[in-house]
Amino acid sequence: MATLRETAERFGPLTDAEADWLALLTADWQIIADLAFADLVMWREVPDGFVAVAQCRPSTGPTVHQDDVVGTMAGPTRVAHLRRALDEGTIVASREPRWDETYAVREDALPVVMNGRAIAVLTREVSQVVSRSSSRLELNYKGASDDLLRMITQGEFPVHTSVTGPKRGAPRVGDGVLRLDSVGHVTYASPNALSCFHRLGVHGPLMNKSLPRVTSELVTDRGLIDETLAMVVMGRAAWRTDLEVNGACLSLRAIPVSVDGSRAGAVLLCRDVSELRRRERELITKDATIREIHHRVKNNLQTVAALLRLQSRRVEAPEAKEALAEAMRRVSTIALVHETLSGTLDELVNFDDLAGRSMRMAADVASPGVQVKIVREGDFGLIPAQFASSLALVITELVTNAVEHGFVGREHGTITVTARRNDTDLDVVIADDGVGLSAKPTGLGSQIVTTLVENELGGSLTWKRVAGGSEVDVHVQVKDR
């Protein structure tokens, strides 16, 4: 999908500042379309006339354009109307509705001004298919849209500090609208906005009341007040904040309205997000619980490893010492995975860091008398948490096996671990420059590796004797199944 800049530059160059300004406008013009009950279309002048580079349909009423108009040229009868708006630098209303197929459309054109210069033309297009008197809500919505459109012609909208883009709980026009004067008094409150404030404990109408005073009377715990709340409810800052009182939570967004650079009031959007915030708190609690569980499992596994270490010191038989050391190493590897999981809320584990730590630990424990250099090539990437323990054990066992059996009678050696990754599969090659395999291993470690690869990771592995050492090729699936 092409960006606005890519679409616009098909018909002529744009500076970075112009592209940023138009992108900021289109990121916020859904509010204007909903307030105006109208389609908005942005036009750029080209040698042959005007071409549409962006459009926005209202969610509060029917659309004028059933098809996408981006990339189409304005009809010959509309060019003079668009050029007049560009030249005069003000809103130009059409004298007569134009006919699109079987219905009439009333169109207003206005320049999009940046730093005192018009860089595009915006049209507000409303279907005249239904003729009736406007309700009080519609009149106030259209009045608010007129304020914002006039700011566009003066280069005062969009506002750089405005909170735009997809944000969870962001209020929309349909959620509730208030209009404020220059001192924060309510000049209009939509029925949905009244319902939102009634949930907070506000009784009676809001008309002609000071919104800053109303909200200050609601908040009893001053220590929990967002510092931006006062600026938002007065309409002084183009920002967004939450107001939480009596178990209810409102998301508030202010859009200051100015005339010739002087503040004249504001449009305030509000939305009841009580249920959304409750679910977010539940998720945070669950995430904290899961992290705490991983932390406790890690501590318990480290305790088990310490007990195995103590037990190994009290036994004399070499085979028993070796078996306990291997068990301790495996438990420590699993503890390392849980330590990693306890430090993140993600369901994906950055396995490169985890693999580096587990391989170094395996090499140090397996044969303290041999200096082993581990070389890593490629990236493991992000691995789903449910596969991390099994994959870490597989790599640890294979590195341990290479150290214990590949460098017998040697003081140093090199193990190369190569990872090749795509969206669903991971190939890992563990090669050493040791004595090489005489036969496929049949010990407990190899049995553990085979079981984990085939049953837990849905993969396969191959043992090879190669020139200058041995090699194990592991292929596993690392996508949720």
Side-chain angles (χ1 to χ4, degrees), residues 218-400:
L218 290 173
V219 179
T220 56
D221 189 349
R222 303 294 175 179
L224 297 178
I225 298 179
D226 190 329
E227 295 179 355
T228 61
L229 177 61
M231 300 296 290
V232 170
V233 296
M234 290 185 68
R236 289 181 176 272
W239 202 248
R240 197 185 128 198
T241 187
D242 285 350
L243 175 60
E244 190 165 2
V245 180
N246 299 327
C249 184
L250 294 190
S251 177
L252 304 173
R253 181 188 173 187
I255 306 173
V257 174
S258 60
V259 177
D260 296 326
S262 300
R263 193 167 63 87
V267 176
L268 192 71
L269 306 180
C270 59
R271 179 185 179 188
D272 183 3
V273 293
S274 304
E275 181 64 18
L276 179 62
R277 295 296 180 263
R278 184 187 66 79
R279 292 180 180 179
E280 288 178 346
R281 284 192 291 268
E282 288 182 353
L283 288 175
I284 291 173
T285 301
K286 289 179 180 179
D287 288 337
T289 302
I290 291 172
R291 286 197 294 179
E292 178 63 21
I293 290 173
H294 283 304
H295 181 71
R296 294 189 181 188
V297 170
K298 182 262 296 184
N299 288 344
N300 291 337
L301 290 173
Q302 288 180 337
T303 300
V304 172
L307 293 174
L308 292 173
R309 187 179 299 108
L310 290 173
Q311 186 66 36
S312 67
R313 293 173 182 173
R314 300 178 65 89
V315 298
E316 299 295 336
E319 292 183 355
K321 279 184 174 292
E322 183 179 350
L324 289 172
E326 290 180 356
M328 180 182 68
R329 186 192 68 246
R330 290 164 185 148
V331 170
S332 297
T333 300
I334 300 175
L336 190 62
V337 174
H338 283 280
E339 180 182 4
T340 302
L341 294 175
S342 67
T344 179
L345 295 176
D346 297 330
E347 295 183 358
L348 299 174
V349 178
N350 186 348
F351 200 79
D352 290 286
D353 179 61
L354 180 61
R357 295 166 63 190
S358 62
M359 286 188 294
R360 174 49 55 192
M361 179 183 66
D364 292 341
V365 173
S367 184
V370 180
Q371 294 182 356
V372 178
K373 178 182 179 182
I374 297 180
V375 179
R376 281 189 39 211
E377 298 177 355
D379 296 321
F380 289 90
L382 298 176
I383 302 294
Q386 65 266 33
F387 303 140
S389 294
S390 298
L391 185 58
L393 272 176
V394 167
I395 294 175
T396 301
E397 289 293 335
L398 292 176
V399 170
T400 301

Side-chain angles (χ1 to χ4, degrees), residues 367 370-373 399 401-415 431-435:
S367 184
V370 180
Q371 294 182 356
V372 178
K373 178 182 179 182
V399 170
N401 182 76
V403 174
E404 290 180 342
H405 303 290
F407 306 127
V408 177
R410 295 176 54 176
E411 296 182 354
H412 56 83
T414 300
I415 297 176
D432 64 73
D433 59 354
V435 297

